[in-house]
Amino acid sequence: MRAGGRKNAAVAVIPAALLAEGPSVLENLPDILDVHTYGEILEELGGAVRWLGKGRLEINPNSFSTYQAPYELVKRLRASYYLLGVLLARFGRAEVSLPGGCDIGLRPIDQHLKGFRALGAEAEISHGVVRLEARQLRGASVYLDVVSVGATINIMMAATLARGTTVIENAAREPHVVDLANYLSAMGAQIRGAGTDVIKIRGVSRLKGAAHAIIPDEIEAATYMIAAAGTGGDVTVENVIPKHLDPITAKLREAGAEVEENGDCIRVRGTGRPKAVNIKTLPYPGFPTDAQQPMTALLSVASGTSLVTESIWERRFRHVDELKKMGSNIRVEGRTAIIEGVERLSGAPVTVTDLRGGAALVVAGLMAEGTTLVVGIERVDRGYESLEKKLAALGARVERD
Ligand code: EPU
């Protein structure tokens, strides 16, 4: 199967197109709900958005004029908070309602606001609306108290058009931060250090539109790799950057699967019952929280006891109760799931709790004996393209009601 473009890069790059003074063409966008929703949000805000065919989107920001994004628009996805940095940079002000998104724990934006304030903006939240205002953004040093992908991206976007140099310390190092920095650089931004924990942005007075292809989605790839390991399958995932999958590869090998890297492909072969492994989620290059839930499905059938510690989101074990309905033996204590592997799972009706939790239930359903009915699959559609088609092409028996 072929991995699509990375969701969490796409939802940053799409709003970033509004920073330019001319049209951009984005390529390799995944065909997922969150991407279409973001396109619709930009349209509603007055930007001209045109799909050019498979995964290609033209965004012309010239007709774009409002600095307000109301709740009806932003409630549909978390990443609408990127409008804060973009609108602030473009118009010197932004009014964006606090966004929706998956319920996986508290999702504060204090570090985003800390950054905007350091750049000279006034920031307040009242009645569920974030209001930012600055006569002129000025470069500044910002130390992030927690490693935050969203805050790093938002501050980086706002800083591109500020006067002077901004330094973000303790920045997130995720490859999608680098992907966005590459796009902004193609637009004329001056950015150094993306991919390390110190990013320097020298403000410029304007940005131009640019063409950019989104990097592959490592979490989609990881989900299929985990499914292959759990079903005794043999799956080659094409269009990946194997380096980005290092933490997944390492853990799957430890669990006994065979993983082979070959250029931009990665092949995973399941070799019987997986072995128990311990996992702790961490910012990149640690084990990604977004792959934690599918991994717990795999470890449900491992021989031995696995400890999975979630250090990013405190409510990211809500899928566990659903896995239990399928016969798994998991106990959650605080931020750790203690998984006593069982011989096999049994198919059952289960309900999707959140995007990656839903992916975990699909993986569990593929491994289980009998039929699994996954209710609420539209939550999974937010982040996985052509799920049942891709699975069916690999030999899975899946259908959508
Ligand atoms: N945090 C703060 N203050 C802030 C921002 C974050 O305390 O101002 C904390 C969070 O509570 C969390 C940690 O910092 O404990 C990391 O949060 P981060 O800001 O990195 O998360 P995010 O940017 O809101 C993105 C992805 C998530 C992914 C995380 C971590 C998008 C749209 N979302 O969220 O993806 O889990 O980074 O890698 O890029 C998903 O795709 O399923 C998903 C939830």
Side-chain angles (χ1 to χ4, degrees):
M1 59 82 64
R2 190 181 158 81
R6 184 179 295 211
K7 169 176 95 67
N8 289 342
V11 296
V13 166
I14 291 172
L18 300 181
L19 290 166
E21 286 181 9
S24 284
V25 175
L26 307 178
E27 295 182 15
N28 198 36
L29 288 169
D31 186 10
I32 56 173
L33 215 53
D34 274 9
V35 160
H36 293 289
T37 303
Y38 227 131
E40 284 162 31
I41 291 178
L42 295 202
E43 265 182 335
E44 293 279 339
L45 294 177
V49 170
R50 193 158 61 104
W51 283 99
L52 303 175
K54 238 186 158 317
R56 295 179 75 227
L57 182 67
E58 184 187 67
I59 301 175
N60 188 338
N62 292 350
S63 53
F64 180 73
S65 57
T66 179
Y67 60 89
Q68 291 170 313
Y71 186 64
E72 296 75 69
L73 282 185
V74 305
K75 69 178 180 200
R76 292 156 72 191
L77 87 168
R78 184 76 197 160
S80 46
Y81 56 31
Y82 291 140
L83 291 169
L84 285 168
V86 169
L87 298 178
L88 179 64
R90 268 301 293 271
F91 302 119
R93 62 195 303 191
E95 281 185 23
V96 179
S97 287
L98 287 168
C102 281
D103 177 14
I104 51 180
L106 279 180
R107 301 188 77 171
I109 57 163
D110 56 298
Q111 299 303 307
H112 304 230
L113 300 186
K114 177 180 179 179
F116 297 141
R117 287 188 180 119
L119 294 176
E122 291 192 12
E124 56 146 30
I125 303 181
S126 59
H127 304 291
V129 179
V130 187
R131 291 189 176 77
L132 305 176
E133 195 162 351
R135 208 162 287 140
Q136 168 71 58
L137 291 176
R138 288 178 195 280
S141 266
V142 184
Y143 175 84
L144 296 180
D145 301 326
V146 289
V147 180
S148 159
V149 174
T152 303
I153 287 179
N154 238 339
I155 298 164
M156 187 161 81
M157 292 200 292
T160 54
L161 292 172
R163 193 175 287 166
T165 299
T166 298
V167 181
I168 309 175
E169 286 180 84
N170 200 25
R173 290 178 285 168
E174 267 69 3
H176 35 291
V177 173
V178 181
D179 198 39
L180 175 70
N182 288 341
Y183 171 52
L184 293 171
S185 299
M187 293 162 91
Q190 298 284 327
I191 303 176
R192 297 280 174 274
T196 75
D197 58 3
V198 181
I199 304 179
K200 289 192 180 144
I201 307 114
R202 191 153 60 79
V204 294
S205 54
R206 59 178 56 87
L207 295 172
K208 58 185 191 307
H212 180 73
I214 308 288
I215 55 168
D217 196 312
E218 90 291 22
I219 304 299
E220 185 196 22
T223 305
Y224 284 83
M225 290 166 69
I226 292 167
T231 54
D234 180 354
V235 170
T236 299
V237 187
E238 294 164 6
N239 185 38
V240 295
I241 300 171
K243 178 87 197 124
H244 296 169
L245 287 157
D246 277 353
I248 311 291
T249 300
K251 284 296 160 185
L252 288 182
R253 282 186 178 145
E254 220 180 295
E258 285 173 14
V259 186
E260 245 175 67
E261 295 172 6
N262 194 353
D264 65 354
C265 296
I266 203 154
R267 179 178 179 185
V268 179
R269 274 172 291 186
T271 54
R273 191 169 176 198
K275 297 193 207 60
V277 297
N278 295 336
I279 286 172
K280 181 171 185 185
T281 63
L282 288 168
Y284 187 82
F287 192 91
T289 168
D290 297 344
Q292 175 264 106
Q293 291 163 297
M295 200 69 185
T296 56
L298 174 74
L299 297 177
S300 291
V301 297
S303 55
T305 305
S306 306
L307 299 181
V308 176
T309 303
E310 172 56 60
S311 67
I312 312 287
W313 303 117
E314 67 272 19
R315 272 165 63 74
R316 224 174 193 180
F317 285 131
R318 289 163 64 232
H319 65 299
V320 161
D321 282 342
E322 300 301 305
L323 286 178
K324 283 186 192 165
K325 292 181 187 162
M326 300 176 70
S328 69
N329 181 358
I330 307 178
R331 204 168 72 247
V332 177
E333 284 183 8
R335 289 195 161 218
T336 300
I338 302 150
I339 308 175
E340 308 279 356
V342 295
E343 289 271 341
R344 63 181 61 82
L345 298 177
S346 56
V350 286
T351 300
V352 176
T353 51
D354 56 88
L355 165 59
R356 309 295 176 189
L361 299 178
V362 172
V363 169
L366 293 169
M367 298 187 310
E369 223 170 34
T371 302
T372 296
L373 176 69
V374 182
V375 178
I377 201 70
E378 60 287 347
R379 285 196 162 159
V380 180
D381 293 335
R382 287 188 43 206
Y384 290 83
E385 66 177 14
S386 312
L387 181 69
E388 66 274 23
K389 276 198 208 120
K390 286 187 177 183
L391 286 174
L394 294 171
R397 279 180 290 163
V398 287
E399 53 189 67
R400 186 179 287 253
D401 258 359

